[in-house]
Amino acid sequence: MAQEISALVFDAYGTLFDVHSVTRLADTLFPGRGAALSAAWRTKQLEYTWLRSLMDRYEDFNRVTAASLDWSLEHLGLEADEAARRALVAEYRTLAVFPEVPAALDAMARQRPLAILSNGHPEMLEAVVEHNKLRNLFRGGVLSVHAAKVFKPHPSVYALAENRLGVPRSLTGFVSSNGWDAAGARTFGFQVFWVNRGKAPVERLGVRPDAVISNLSELAELLKQ
Amino acid sequence: MAQEISALVFDAYGTLFDVHSVTRLADTLFPGRGAALSAAWRTKQLEYTWLRSLMDRYEDFNRVTAASLDWSLEHLGLEADEAARRALVAEYRTLAVFPEVPAALDAMARQRPLAILSNGHPEMLEAVVEHNKLRNLFRGGVLSVHAAKVFKPHPSVYALAENRLGVPRSLTGFVSSNGWDAAGARTFGFQVFWVNRGKAPVERLGVRPDAVISNLSELAELLKQ
């Protein structure tokens, strides 16, 4: 590392929790179309966070998630009643954690405070953290953009973590599997670890992550050195 | 119409000019992969405009277009030398106009001033307008977000058109085939005509266009009434 790291901040969706674990329920409701629905839904969900932020029309992530599901269902020609739509949105409260995450977090939490910084509505976030029994690992807090009323990668979101942790951004490690989130955090001034789970190309947004890893076990190893 | 319309403002890419007309060159360079490259490129190009705006790292559309092409080539595993990349980006200066556009614009220009308001860099825009011999139809001007140093749908972009035309937003018609641009313009307060060329679902962004049309001929007819 270029500098010591006094705290670690993690993105939630896609980094700790697998957003595509909704595919199973989606596939039960719409046999053979679950993966397509999950992919369209996630893409549109992110688009809406960026667009609403730019239009200065923040709406919480639970609503954005429901709205983007509605668009995706219509886009794919799938019909769902209110109960099915509610069940799909509720899946965000019980998303599966990636398999290596609990042990890796446990190792890292012994060395420095860990926090979550996420687009999620505070209740959605608390629910998925509780569901996966990770709450006691995040001494630094489970922080939501909801306090800033704008989504990532707006700089005021990353400032929430700096203010809450009381650790200068240059001594804070930020961990995300979303390349655009990694770029936003790097622009803000965090030391950034991009978890490139899907071997994606690096985003061309004018900054590069400080390190690229393929999962959180690799990060735990790297930070031991 | 709910109210009279004293001026009309058009989005450029996707509304007047077919961004997927780059597919032909792309397919010559990468046989069988032109459509996939064009689709990935356009999606990433828009993402970068939103992300850079949110990160407060504006970079002109010509550079965003080149950066998003680089990402898309790597994503699809396609190798292109500098000359091929430059040729693809240069295609944005000679995009094809949608077939009904010239006659429809000509009819509408007789009744009120027309303008363009686009993400494009001023030089890219002037080039594609000249290439399609449409310059004299836009008495209201060919306006670029470059003056605001932020991309659509940030409200300060739409304000550029209101200021330049000197027509109140409530009396200005805004025409876009991009559903998110239509939502941004409606939020700003324009009367919005969404050109739904691809029969897409309406975006769930909390506002609706005032009218939905399938092409610009339909708009010209509608405005005659």
Side-chain angles (χ1 to χ4, degrees), chain B residues 80-101:
Chain B
D81 60 19
E82 188 54 34
R85 293 211 303 271
R86 234 181 267 162
L88 283 163
V89 172
E91 283 287 291
Y92 266 79
R93 295 168 180 263
T94 56
L95 292 175
V97 75
F98 286 104
E100 88 284 5
V101 165

Side-chain angles (χ1 to χ4, degrees), chain B:
Chain B
M1 296 302 97
Q3 294 211 53
E4 72 175 289
I5 292 181
S6 303
L8 279 171
V9 179
F10 294 82
D11 170 57
Y13 304 118
T15 301
L16 304 177
F17 309 112
D18 183 359
V19 293
H20 296 298
S21 64
V22 303
T23 302
R24 203 187 326 177
L25 174 60
D27 217 56
T28 305
L29 292 165
F30 310 105
R33 309 296 300 279
L37 178 59
S38 181
W41 186 11
R42 173 64 171 167
T43 299
K44 189 54 66 170
Q45 179 194 49
L46 290 176
E47 272 189 32
Y48 283 0
T49 62
W50 302 328
L51 291 166
R52 282 195 166 268
S53 297
L54 270 177
M55 289 161 64
D56 200 13
R57 283 178 70 93
Y58 176 82
E59 176 174 72
D60 78 57
F61 197 65
N62 202 43
R63 286 165 188 267
V64 165
T65 299
S68 52
L69 173 63
D70 285 349
W71 188 94
S72 305
L73 289 166
E74 187 180 338
H75 171 63
L76 294 170
L78 303 174
E79 298 218 0
D81 60 19
E82 188 54 34
R85 293 211 303 271
R86 234 181 267 162
L88 283 163
V89 172
E91 283 287 291
Y92 266 79
R93 295 168 180 263
T94 56
L95 292 175
V97 75
F98 286 104
E100 88 284 5
V101 165
L105 288 178
D106 194 58
M108 292 185 279
R110 289 160 202 241
Q111 301 163 316
R112 47 182 78 76
L114 311 185
I116 286 177
L117 177 66
S118 165
N119 273 342
H121 182 281
E123 282 175 17
M124 293 171 74
L125 269 181
E126 288 291 344
V128 73
V129 169
E130 285 296 335
H131 173 78
N132 286 290
K133 302 191 171 44
L134 301 175
R135 189 64 189 81
N136 65 340
L137 294 174
F138 293 104
R139 271 196 288 138
V142 176
L143 313 182
S144 162
V145 303
H146 198 60
K149 297 283 186 293
V150 68
F151 291 103
K152 296 177 178 180
H154 194 282
S156 65
V157 168
Y158 303 107
L160 289 175
E162 186 178 47
N163 294 337
R164 169 70 170 269
L165 289 163
V167 173
R169 58 190 82 177
S170 62
L171 300 181
T172 300
F174 185 86
V175 187
S176 182
S177 63
N178 296 296
W180 55 272
D181 184 23
R186 187 71 200 78
T187 300
F188 178 73
F190 286 140
Q191 290 187 56
V192 170
F193 301 89
W194 177 36
V195 190
N196 190 5
R197 295 185 183 279
K199 301 201 191 305
V202 68
E203 298 291 356
R204 267 68 167 190
L205 287 165
V207 288
R208 295 235 160 200
D210 296 278
V212 184
I213 51 190
S214 54
N215 58 51
L216 292 205
S217 303
E218 247 184 75
L219 177 63
E221 278 305 309
L222 190 68
L223 292 176
K224 262 197 220 158
Q225 292 162 12

Side-chain angles (χ1 to χ4, degrees), chain A residues 7-13 15-17 101 104-106 108-109 112-119 125 137-138 141-143 152 161 165 172-177 181 193 195 197 213 216 219-220 223:
Chain A
L8 278 171
V9 179
F10 294 82
D11 170 56
Y13 304 118
T15 301
L16 303 178
F17 308 111
V101 165
L105 288 178
D106 195 59
M108 291 185 279
R112 48 182 77 77
L114 310 185
I116 286 177
L117 177 66
S118 164
N119 273 342
L125 269 180
L137 294 174
F138 293 104
V142 176
L143 313 181
K152 296 177 178 183
L165 289 163
T172 300
F174 184 86
V175 185
S176 182
S177 64
D181 185 22
F193 301 89
V195 189
R197 295 185 184 278
I213 51 189
L216 291 206
L219 177 63
L223 292 176

Side-chain angles (χ1 to χ4, degrees), chain A residues 140-201:
Chain A
V142 176
L143 313 181
S144 162
V145 304
H146 197 59
K149 296 285 187 290
V150 68
F151 291 104
K152 296 177 178 183
H154 194 284
S156 65
V157 169
Y158 303 106
L160 289 175
E162 186 178 46
N163 295 337
R164 169 70 171 270
L165 289 163
V167 173
R169 59 190 81 177
S170 62
L171 300 183
T172 300
F174 184 86
V175 185
S176 182
S177 64
N178 295 296
W180 54 271
D181 185 22
R186 187 71 201 79
T187 300
F188 178 74
F190 285 140
Q191 291 187 57
V192 170
F193 301 89
W194 178 36
V195 189
N196 190 5
R197 295 185 184 278
K199 301 201 190 308

